[in-house]
Amino acid sequence: MRAAVIASLLLAGCTASQSAIGGAGDFRPDYQGVETRLLDGDLVNFRVRMSGARGPSDVTKYAECAAAQYALIRGYGFARHIRTTVEEDFGIWVADAVYTISPALPRGLRTIDAEVTVADCGVSEIPTV
């Protein structure tokens, strides 16, 4: 009996904390497109728009997904994050991100494997280019 009471309290606690932080059922993103500009050789700018984001990390991830797919389209396997700025205005989130793309793993700490990232974006239902 005591174990059942503890288990039900634990379950109730999980449910309450998920809804308090906006659980997965509350997340309804509207991905509104990607603008891509080749800046110079392997340097690419991505501007993505979305509504329904929980915060800057959602729109930043959308830009990363776009960069990974773009690298694959160009026949490259990797990208390196240079910078991202995020703005929110009346519920529309915009990320302006710059990445380099390359056939080999670039130097730096903020590199992404394009194939792995695109697969993860698919699982997360985040569209790519």
Side-chain angles (χ1 to χ4, degrees):
M1 175 78 168
R2 184 176 186 185
V5 170
I6 292 172
S8 65
L9 288 173
L10 289 173
L11 288 174
C14 290
T15 304
S17 66
Q18 285 176 349
S19 64
I21 61 169
D26 296 337
F27 181 48
R28 290 181 178 69
D30 179 19
Y31 299 101
Q32 299 176 355
V34 178
E35 295 174 31
T36 306
R37 289 186 317 175
L38 184 60
L39 299 175
D40 182 43
D42 63 350
L43 192 64
V44 187
N45 174 242
F46 301 91
R47 190 168 168 89
V48 299
R49 295 173 47 95
M50 72 180 289
S51 61
R54 295 169 289 199
S57 63
D58 287 334
V59 71
T60 299
K61 183 65 177 174
Y62 183 24
E64 181 179 294
C65 291
Q69 182 63 50
Y70 183 86
L72 292 178
I73 289 169
R74 294 290 184 168
Y76 295 109
F78 299 92
R80 181 171 60 92
H81 180 257
I82 303 297
R83 65 124 179 106
T84 301
T85 59
V86 176
E87 296 178 4
E88 189 266 340
D89 192 27
F90 296 106
I92 304 296
W93 290 83
V94 177
D96 186 345
V98 176
Y99 285 83
T100 59
I101 56 173
S102 63
L105 183 63
R107 297 174 112 187
L109 299 176
R110 300 177 72 181
T111 60
I112 60 173
D113 181 315
E115 285 188 29
V116 171
T117 300
V118 167
D120 180 54
C121 294
V123 169
S124 300
E125 298 181 354
I126 302 171
T128 57
V129 176

